[in-house]
Amino acid sequence: RRELPDGGARPNAAQFKQLVVTALRDLHGEVGAALPVDVLTYEEKTLSAILRVISSGLVKLWSALTLLGFYQNRRCAFRVLQTSPFLLALSGNSRELVL
Amino acid sequence: RYVLCEVVSEDPRCRQCIEDRTLGLAVRDAIARVHGDYGLACCSVSFTVKYLNAYTGTVLLRCRKDSYRLLCSALPFVRYLESRAQRYPCFLNTLHVGGTVRTCQKFLIQYNRTQLLRLLQTCTNEEERQCIQKSLLSCSLTEEQSQSGDEEEDDGTE
């Protein structure tokens, strides 16, 4: 799950995917841009999304998102909230679990 | 790691303008396109063009052991050499990957020998046959003098 704090612009789902692919292309070239990344869900209100990628590509994706600094000439940052191999695990954060 | 490759081009003027700097820039550019900033930085740590033979188009590149796969995968993407504001279409053929310059040199000697024999078989002109036969016979048999095996000529057969 990724959270993207931003100044003003609100990308929609397609623009978000374009942003991710551009980040990969900048850091890892055509090979990185060809990495199959899926945007499973995207909420425009909170600007958060769930991305799926093959496990060998996690390092490339994470590094590319970390180093992406600008979106439409505004500063932005990607924050990775959770990563897990199972989709079900993303629905709850076990650190905030209140017993 | 040392990667031995051969520059193949249809344009005969391309051979004359091959320089180590232009080739290095072209290869670096291809790596940047294919592997991005990370790949470019990874491969450029100790990347040099060690040896260049403009007559035969043989190039020996040197790179780190950890990143030679990135380099090899980016070599097919070198489409043209640019020098003095002129672009010459060409492509690189990878001949051999070795760990030391000596192994690459040994391979190059063998390769040049087989190339000379192949040229002898395919050449149509009688005087070219004489030329090639003379250079074949003048090759020395010891492996130390590898440069005499490089006496290929580009006068129209290639």
Side-chain angles (χ1 to χ4, degrees):
Chain A
R1 176 173 295 187
R2 310 267 187 273
E3 190 194 87
L4 165 61
D6 204 1
R10 302 240 134 191
N12 64 9
Q15 287 168 340
F16 182 77
K17 171 109 193 251
Q18 167 73 13
L19 190 61
V20 169
V21 172
T22 311
L24 274 169
R25 179 176 282 125
D26 283 339
L27 189 62
H28 290 288
E30 298 295 331
V31 168
L35 194 62
V37 170
D38 305 319
V39 179
L40 294 180
T41 63
Y42 179 69
E43 288 166 36
E44 198 162 326
K45 251 188 321 182
T46 57
L47 284 181
S48 68
I50 299 186
L51 299 179
R52 173 173 65 187
V53 74
I54 191 171
S55 57
S56 56
L58 176 65
V59 173
K60 289 188 177 168
L61 178 64
W62 201 332
S63 56
L65 288 177
T66 309
L67 291 173
L68 181 68
F70 287 94
Y71 171 63
Q72 287 181 359
N73 295 329
R74 303 188 72 104
R75 297 191 68 91
C76 74
F78 270 83
R79 273 194 215 120
V80 175
L81 301 172
Q82 246 181 314
T83 69
S84 122
F86 309 110
L87 197 52
L88 195 54
L90 292 182
S91 63
N93 194 354
S94 62
R95 288 187 188 162
E96 292 166 8
L97 198 57
V98 173
L99 286 171
Chain B
R1 282 271 181 269
Y2 291 90
V3 181
L4 187 70
C5 27
E6 181 192 355
V7 178
V8 176
S9 116
E10 298 106 17
D11 199 350
R13 292 170 302 170
C14 183
R15 292 280 171 89
Q16 297 157 10
C17 77
I18 296 180
E19 281 172 24
D20 51 354
R21 252 174 318 156
T22 49
L23 200 72
L25 284 177
V27 172
R28 276 210 173 105
D29 187 47
I31 298 179
R33 257 180 297 142
V34 176
H35 294 295
D37 295 333
Y38 170 75
L40 178 63
C42 210
C43 296
S44 290
V45 177
S46 65
F47 169 75
T48 33
V49 179
K50 270 295 203 186
Y51 167 77
L52 180 60
N53 189 338
Y55 293 116
T56 60
T58 315
V59 178
L60 184 64
L61 306 169
R62 178 187 125 175
C63 68
R64 286 204 152 207
K65 209 165 57 162
D66 306 321
S67 60
Y68 85 96
R69 294 193 81 92
L70 294 174
L71 176 64
C72 285
S73 60
L75 284 181
F77 289 85
V78 176
R79 301 263 316 284
Y80 53 84
L81 291 181
E82 184 158 343
S83 89
R84 282 175 249 136
Q86 295 233 0
R87 286 189 173 180
Y88 301 109
C90 70
F91 63 91
L92 295 187
N93 233 357
T94 309
L95 300 176
H96 184 245
V97 177
T100 57
V101 186
R102 261 186 93 81
T103 53
C104 289
Q105 212 175 18
K106 280 187 197 167
F107 178 82
L108 192 58
I109 299 170
Q110 296 282 348
Y111 183 73
N112 286 340
R113 283 209 188 116
T114 47
Q115 287 292 93
L116 275 178
L117 288 175
R118 199 173 61 87
L119 276 180
L120 186 62
Q121 282 167 4
T122 59
C123 72
T124 51
N125 223 343
E126 190 50 43
E127 52 199 48
E128 284 171 3
R129 283 183 85 94
Q130 308 259 345
C131 224
I132 297 181
Q133 269 176 346
K134 199 162 46 115
S135 56
L136 265 178
L137 291 173
S138 72
C139 276
S140 84
L141 293 175
T142 60
E143 284 195 353
E144 309 306 287
Q145 304 184 16
S146 63
Q147 302 315 314
S148 59
D150 284 354
E151 279 174 9
E152 291 176 39
E153 55 288 310
D154 280 347
D155 41 355
T157 55
E158 197 50 38

